[in-house]
Amino acid sequence: IVPRALLLAAMGSGAMMISHANDAYFWIIKEFSQLDTRETYRVWTRLSIALGLASLLGVLLVYCLSCLFLDTSLMFLDFQQH
């Protein structure tokens, strides 16, 4: 059984993985870093991918640790309520 909080965290890490110029946070980063649009897009795309992967690894680590300590199976996801 996968806790809902971990599912939400995994979805959030995937959602933050790709950021585009129509994202308001992109323009905040651009203004505060004082970079031009092209440079900000290049840097922010790489950084957002790294942040997304790092947060996904964190979610997987928490899931694996919870499976070890809560004695649940890592082999399948059971979404049914018992």
Side-chain angles (χ1 to χ4, degrees), residues 9-75:
M11 289 173 19
S13 67
M16 71 181 280
M17 193 164 180
I18 301 296
S19 179
H20 199 267
N22 63 354
D23 184 10
Y25 195 62
F26 172 84
W27 296 105
I28 292 172
I29 296 297
K30 179 194 173 300
E31 291 300 318
F32 284 117
S33 65
Q34 299 177 349
L35 297 171
D36 63 344
T37 303
R38 183 178 176 151
E39 186 71 20
T40 305
Y41 189 66
R42 187 171 55 87
V43 170
W44 181 244
T45 300
R46 292 177 184 166
L47 183 60
S48 65
I49 289 171
L51 288 171
L53 290 175
S55 62
L56 183 60
L57 287 174
V59 169
L60 290 174
L61 178 67
V62 169
Y63 176 67
C64 290
L65 290 175
S66 70
C67 288
L68 289 174
F69 292 114
L70 299 177
D71 195 29
T72 58
S73 176
L74 281 170
M75 302 307 292

